[in-house]
mmCIF file of all heavy atoms in Angstrom:
data_model
loop_
_atom_site.group_PDB
_atom_site.id
_atom_site.type_symbol
_atom_site.label_atom_id
_atom_site.label_comp_id
_atom_site.label_asym_id
_atom_site.label_seq_id
_atom_site.Cartn_x
_atom_site.Cartn_y
_atom_site.Cartn_z
ATOM 1 N N VAL M 74 6.459 -0.325 -18.327
ATOM 2 C CA VAL M 74 5.418 -0.677 -17.357
ATOM 3 C C VAL M 74 6.020 -1.657 -16.357
ATOM 4 O O VAL M 74 6.682 -2.627 -16.752
ATOM 5 C CB VAL M 74 4.187 -1.320 -18.042
ATOM 6 C CG1 VAL M 74 3.136 -1.681 -17.002
ATOM 7 C CG2 VAL M 74 3.610 -0.382 -19.085
ATOM 8 N N ILE M 75 5.816 -1.387 -15.073
ATOM 9 C CA ILE M 75 6.357 -2.257 -14.021
ATOM 10 C C ILE M 75 5.205 -2.765 -13.166
ATOM 11 O O ILE M 75 4.428 -1.970 -12.618
ATOM 12 C CB ILE M 75 7.377 -1.514 -13.137
ATOM 13 C CG1 ILE M 75 8.563 -1.025 -13.984
ATOM 14 C CG2 ILE M 75 7.866 -2.421 -12.017
ATOM 15 C CD1 ILE M 75 9.574 -0.216 -13.204
ATOM 16 N N LEU M 76 5.076 -4.093 -13.071
ATOM 17 C CA LEU M 76 4.107 -4.716 -12.174
ATOM 18 C C LEU M 76 4.844 -5.198 -10.932
ATOM 19 O O LEU M 76 5.807 -5.962 -11.026
ATOM 20 C CB LEU M 76 3.402 -5.902 -12.840
ATOM 21 C CG LEU M 76 2.199 -5.596 -13.736
ATOM 22 C CD1 LEU M 76 2.684 -5.056 -15.084
ATOM 23 C CD2 LEU M 76 1.360 -6.837 -13.941
ATOM 24 N N SER M 77 4.416 -4.719 -9.780
ATOM 25 C CA SER M 77 4.965 -5.161 -8.505
ATOM 26 C C SER M 77 4.005 -6.174 -7.902
ATOM 27 O O SER M 77 2.812 -5.908 -7.763
ATOM 28 C CB SER M 77 5.147 -3.960 -7.568
ATOM 29 O OG SER M 77 5.483 -4.386 -6.264
ATOM 30 N N CYS M 78 4.508 -7.348 -7.534
ATOM 31 C CA CYS M 78 3.621 -8.440 -7.096
ATOM 32 C C CYS M 78 4.140 -9.071 -5.799
ATOM 33 O O CYS M 78 5.330 -9.368 -5.682
ATOM 34 C CB CYS M 78 3.521 -9.494 -8.191
ATOM 35 S SG CYS M 78 2.434 -10.876 -7.753
ATOM 36 N N THR M 79 3.230 -9.257 -4.841
ATOM 37 C CA THR M 79 3.524 -9.972 -3.602
ATOM 38 C C THR M 79 2.484 -11.064 -3.417
ATOM 39 O O THR M 79 1.292 -10.840 -3.647
ATOM 40 C CB THR M 79 3.499 -9.025 -2.389
ATOM 41 O OG1 THR M 79 4.425 -7.974 -2.590
ATOM 42 C CG2 THR M 79 3.862 -9.777 -1.108
ATOM 43 N N TYR M 80 2.933 -12.259 -3.009
ATOM 44 C CA TYR M 80 2.016 -13.370 -2.766
ATOM 45 C C TYR M 80 1.545 -13.371 -1.316
ATOM 46 O O TYR M 80 2.365 -13.518 -0.402
ATOM 47 C CB TYR M 80 2.722 -14.708 -3.007
ATOM 48 C CG TYR M 80 2.970 -15.071 -4.451
ATOM 49 C CD1 TYR M 80 3.990 -15.973 -4.766
ATOM 50 C CD2 TYR M 80 2.207 -14.568 -5.479
ATOM 51 C CE1 TYR M 80 4.235 -16.346 -6.079
ATOM 52 C CE2 TYR M 80 2.438 -14.926 -6.793
ATOM 53 C CZ TYR M 80 3.458 -15.816 -7.088
ATOM 54 O OH TYR M 80 3.694 -16.170 -8.388
ATOM 55 N N PRO M 81 0.240 -13.251 -1.026
ATOM 56 C CA PRO M 81 -0.261 -13.593 0.306
ATOM 57 C C PRO M 81 -0.098 -15.099 0.544
ATOM 58 O O PRO M 81 0.028 -15.871 -0.412
ATOM 59 C CB PRO M 81 -1.746 -13.201 0.233
ATOM 60 C CG PRO M 81 -1.874 -12.314 -0.965
ATOM 61 C CD PRO M 81 -0.811 -12.756 -1.924
ATOM 62 N N SER M 82 -0.117 -15.508 1.794
ATOM 63 C CA SER M 82 0.052 -16.937 2.104
ATOM 64 C C SER M 82 -1.010 -17.793 1.425
ATOM 65 O O SER M 82 -0.747 -18.925 1.021
ATOM 66 C CB SER M 82 -0.007 -17.160 3.622
ATOM 67 O OG SER M 82 1.027 -16.470 4.270
ATOM 68 N N GLU M 83 -2.239 -17.258 1.281
ATOM 69 C CA GLU M 83 -3.357 -18.040 0.761
ATOM 70 C C GLU M 83 -3.494 -17.973 -0.760
ATOM 71 O O GLU M 83 -4.429 -18.532 -1.321
ATOM 72 C CB GLU M 83 -4.674 -17.573 1.403
ATOM 73 C CG GLU M 83 -4.743 -17.754 2.908
ATOM 74 C CD GLU M 83 -4.113 -16.582 3.640
ATOM 75 O OE1 GLU M 83 -3.603 -15.655 2.963
ATOM 76 O OE2 GLU M 83 -4.104 -16.600 4.890
ATOM 77 N N TYR M 84 -2.606 -17.247 -1.437
ATOM 78 C CA TYR M 84 -2.660 -17.197 -2.903
ATOM 79 C C TYR M 84 -2.382 -18.596 -3.458
ATOM 80 O O TYR M 84 -1.489 -19.274 -2.963
ATOM 81 C CB TYR M 84 -1.604 -16.214 -3.419
ATOM 82 C CG TYR M 84 -1.442 -16.194 -4.926
ATOM 83 C CD1 TYR M 84 -2.414 -15.640 -5.738
ATOM 84 C CD2 TYR M 84 -0.316 -16.761 -5.526
ATOM 85 C CE1 TYR M 84 -2.267 -15.622 -7.124
ATOM 86 C CE2 TYR M 84 -0.157 -16.752 -6.905
ATOM 87 C CZ TYR M 84 -1.137 -16.186 -7.696
ATOM 88 O OH TYR M 84 -0.986 -16.178 -9.063
ATOM 89 N N PRO M 85 -3.165 -19.086 -4.447
ATOM 90 C CA PRO M 85 -4.093 -18.369 -5.321
ATOM 91 C C PRO M 85 -5.570 -18.378 -4.898
ATOM 92 O O PRO M 85 -6.428 -18.029 -5.704
ATOM 93 C CB PRO M 85 -3.930 -19.112 -6.638
ATOM 94 C CG PRO M 85 -3.633 -20.524 -6.233
ATOM 95 C CD PRO M 85 -2.827 -20.433 -4.974
ATOM 96 N N SER M 86 -5.876 -18.775 -3.650
ATOM 97 C CA SER M 86 -7.274 -18.700 -3.221
ATOM 98 C C SER M 86 -7.705 -17.261 -2.980
ATOM 99 O O SER M 86 -8.895 -16.962 -2.925
ATOM 100 C CB SER M 86 -7.490 -19.530 -1.946
ATOM 101 O OG SER M 86 -7.393 -20.913 -2.250
ATOM 102 N N VAL M 87 -6.731 -16.373 -2.765
ATOM 103 C CA VAL M 87 -6.983 -14.933 -2.753
ATOM 104 C C VAL M 87 -6.107 -14.311 -3.831
ATOM 105 O O VAL M 87 -5.155 -14.929 -4.313
ATOM 106 C CB VAL M 87 -6.672 -14.315 -1.376
ATOM 107 C CG1 VAL M 87 -7.536 -14.923 -0.297
ATOM 108 C CG2 VAL M 87 -5.194 -14.483 -1.024
ATOM 109 N N LEU M 88 -6.417 -13.092 -4.215
ATOM 110 C CA LEU M 88 -5.645 -12.440 -5.276
ATOM 111 C C LEU M 88 -4.265 -12.036 -4.766
ATOM 112 O O LEU M 88 -4.093 -11.725 -3.584
ATOM 113 C CB LEU M 88 -6.384 -11.195 -5.778
ATOM 114 C CG LEU M 88 -7.692 -11.410 -6.529
ATOM 115 C CD1 LEU M 88 -8.251 -10.074 -6.989
ATOM 116 C CD2 LEU M 88 -7.498 -12.340 -7.728
ATOM 117 N N PRO M 89 -3.273 -12.003 -5.646
ATOM 118 C CA PRO M 89 -1.974 -11.454 -5.271
ATOM 119 C C PRO M 89 -2.080 -9.942 -5.104
ATOM 120 O O PRO M 89 -3.028 -9.314 -5.584
ATOM 121 C CB PRO M 89 -1.081 -11.819 -6.465
ATOM 122 C CG PRO M 89 -2.023 -11.880 -7.619
ATOM 123 C CD PRO M 89 -3.318 -12.408 -7.064
ATOM 124 N N GLU M 90 -1.119 -9.365 -4.399
ATOM 125 C CA GLU M 90 -1.079 -7.914 -4.234
ATOM 126 C C GLU M 90 -0.277 -7.337 -5.400
ATOM 127 O O GLU M 90 0.951 -7.430 -5.422
ATOM 128 C CB GLU M 90 -0.457 -7.551 -2.892
ATOM 129 C CG GLU M 90 -1.283 -8.037 -1.708
ATOM 130 C CD GLU M 90 -0.547 -7.934 -0.394
ATOM 131 O OE1 GLU M 90 0.577 -7.384 -0.389
ATOM 132 O OE2 GLU M 90 -1.069 -8.416 0.623
ATOM 133 N N ILE M 91 -0.962 -6.769 -6.365
ATOM 134 C CA ILE M 91 -0.325 -6.256 -7.576
ATOM 135 C C ILE M 91 -0.525 -4.749 -7.653
ATOM 136 O O ILE M 91 -1.645 -4.259 -7.510
ATOM 137 C CB ILE M 91 -0.907 -6.910 -8.844
ATOM 138 C CG1 ILE M 91 -0.612 -8.417 -8.849
ATOM 139 C CG2 ILE M 91 -0.337 -6.263 -10.103
ATOM 140 C CD1 ILE M 91 -1.183 -9.148 -10.055
ATOM 141 N N THR M 92 0.563 -4.014 -7.827
ATOM 142 C CA THR M 92 0.492 -2.594 -8.127
ATOM 143 C C THR M 92 1.219 -2.366 -9.442
ATOM 144 O O THR M 92 2.075 -3.159 -9.845
ATOM 145 C CB THR M 92 1.111 -1.732 -7.023
ATOM 146 O OG1 THR M 92 2.472 -2.140 -6.797
ATOM 147 C CG2 THR M 92 0.341 -1.892 -5.724
ATOM 148 N N LEU M 93 0.889 -1.260 -10.096
ATOM 149 C CA LEU M 93 1.416 -1.007 -11.438
ATOM 150 C C LEU M 93 1.932 0.412 -11.526
ATOM 151 O O LEU M 93 1.317 1.337 -10.994
ATOM 152 C CB LEU M 93 0.318 -1.246 -12.473
ATOM 153 C CG LEU M 93 0.700 -1.088 -13.948
ATOM 154 C CD1 LEU M 93 0.006 -2.142 -14.780
ATOM 155 C CD2 LEU M 93 0.315 0.308 -14.437
ATOM 156 N N ARG M 94 3.066 0.575 -12.198
ATOM 157 C CA ARG M 94 3.636 1.904 -12.414
ATOM 158 C C ARG M 94 3.866 2.127 -13.900
ATOM 159 O O ARG M 94 4.437 1.270 -14.587
ATOM 160 C CB ARG M 94 4.953 2.081 -11.657
ATOM 161 C CG ARG M 94 4.809 2.052 -10.148
ATOM 162 C CD ARG M 94 5.972 2.730 -9.467
ATOM 163 N NE ARG M 94 7.251 2.137 -9.789
ATOM 164 C CZ ARG M 94 7.819 1.156 -9.108
ATOM 165 N NH1 ARG M 94 7.189 0.633 -8.083
ATOM 166 N NH2 ARG M 94 9.002 0.691 -9.451
ATOM 167 N N CYS M 95 3.420 3.272 -14.393
ATOM 168 C CA CYS M 95 3.643 3.672 -15.779
ATOM 169 C C CYS M 95 3.759 5.188 -15.804
ATOM 170 O O CYS M 95 2.867 5.894 -15.331
ATOM 171 C CB CYS M 95 2.494 3.200 -16.674
ATOM 172 S SG CYS M 95 2.631 3.796 -18.375
ATOM 173 N N ALA M 96 4.872 5.703 -16.346
ATOM 174 C CA ALA M 96 5.152 7.140 -16.294
ATOM 175 C C ALA M 96 4.125 7.964 -17.052
ATOM 176 O O ALA M 96 3.961 9.153 -16.780
ATOM 177 C CB ALA M 96 6.552 7.410 -16.848
ATOM 178 N N TYR M 97 3.423 7.358 -18.006
ATOM 179 C CA TYR M 97 2.491 8.118 -18.829
ATOM 180 C C TYR M 97 1.087 8.192 -18.235
ATOM 181 O O TYR M 97 0.193 8.767 -18.847
ATOM 182 C CB TYR M 97 2.430 7.517 -20.235
ATOM 183 C CG TYR M 97 3.731 7.654 -20.981
ATOM 184 C CD1 TYR M 97 4.546 6.552 -21.190
ATOM 185 C CD2 TYR M 97 4.153 8.892 -21.450
ATOM 186 C CE1 TYR M 97 5.760 6.673 -21.858
ATOM 187 C CE2 TYR M 97 5.365 9.023 -22.125
ATOM 188 C CZ TYR M 97 6.155 7.914 -22.324
ATOM 189 O OH TYR M 97 7.344 8.033 -22.976
ATOM 190 N N LEU M 98 0.918 7.600 -17.052
ATOM 191 C CA LEU M 98 -0.386 7.651 -16.392
ATOM 192 C C LEU M 98 -0.279 8.459 -15.104
ATOM 193 O O LEU M 98 0.726 8.368 -14.389
ATOM 194 C CB LEU M 98 -0.886 6.241 -16.061
ATOM 195 C CG LEU M 98 -1.127 5.287 -17.236
ATOM 196 C CD1 LEU M 98 -1.596 3.933 -16.708
ATOM 197 C CD2 LEU M 98 -2.135 5.856 -18.216
#
Side-chain angles (χ1 to χ4, degrees):
V74 180
I75 299 177
L76 277 77
S77 171
C78 181
T79 303
Y80 286 157
S82 299
E83 298 85 358
Y84 173 72
S86 290
V87 299
L88 292 182
E90 296 168 6
I91 296 179
T92 56
L93 183 142
R94 294 202 301 270
C95 175
Y97 294 107
L98 298 179

